């Protein structure tokens, strides 16, 4: 299933920059960055629960914001891309 993870981390106070970096690093381990604070993650339900738990344990609910959009298995019909940063197919071949 496709999950869209969006976050906004307050970085003006101590610890904010570290939290921002930690959240980004966690998301990179589970998905593809499509905008500065937006990741597309193709996950099994078990991996989704692990990712969600890690993020909820990292962010500060009094200063930060996390948003999860569950697009499901038929996500391709629900996503349109326009403009710069060419899209990618997370189910396509991976070339390293």
């Amino acid at each position: 299933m496709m999950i869209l993870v969006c976050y906004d981390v307050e970085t003006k106070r101590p610890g904010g920059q570290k939290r921002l970096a930690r959240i980004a690093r966690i998301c990179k381990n589970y998905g593809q960055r499509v905008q500065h604070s937006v990741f597309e993650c193709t996950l099994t339900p078990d991996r989704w629960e692990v990712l969600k738990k890690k993020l909820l344990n990292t962010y500060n609910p009094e200063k930060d914001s996390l948003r999860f959009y569950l697009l499901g298995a038929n996500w391709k019909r629900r996503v349109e891309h326009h403009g710069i940063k060419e899209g990618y197919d997370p189910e396509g071949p991976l070339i390293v």
Side-chain angles (χ1 to χ4, degrees):
M1 68 180 166
M2 173 68 77
I3 311 285
L4 191 68
V5 178
C6 309
Y7 56 88
D8 189 16
V9 177
E10 193 278 317
T11 58
K12 293 181 181 171
R13 295 186 188 145
Q17 290 288 344
K18 278 186 160 182
R19 249 186 356 271
L20 176 64
R22 271 187 257 135
I23 288 174
R25 192 169 36 255
I26 291 167
C27 289
K28 283 181 188 178
N29 289 331
Y30 288 86
Q32 175 72 34
R33 182 180 293 225
V34 293
Q35 292 188 358
H36 291 292
S37 297
V38 180
F39 283 78
E40 290 179 349
C41 306
T42 305
L43 304 168
T44 63
D46 291 343
R47 284 186 49 86
W48 159 233
E49 289 302 320
V50 172
L51 170 60
K52 183 177 176 182
K53 183 177 181 180
K54 285 182 180 183
L55 291 173
L56 291 175
N57 287 332
T58 302
Y59 93 121
N60 182 332
E62 296 175 4
K63 299 176 184 174
D64 307 331
S65 172
L66 282 173
R67 295 180 71 92
F68 306 120
Y69 297 89
L70 286 70
L71 301 177
N74 296 318
W75 62 271
K76 286 184 181 182
R77 293 190 338 237
R78 298 182 179 124
V79 176
E80 287 186 33
H81 173 81
H82 305 275
I84 63 171
K85 289 191 177 182
E86 185 175 322
Y88 78 107
D89 180 5
E91 296 174 344
L94 177 63
I95 300 172
V96 182

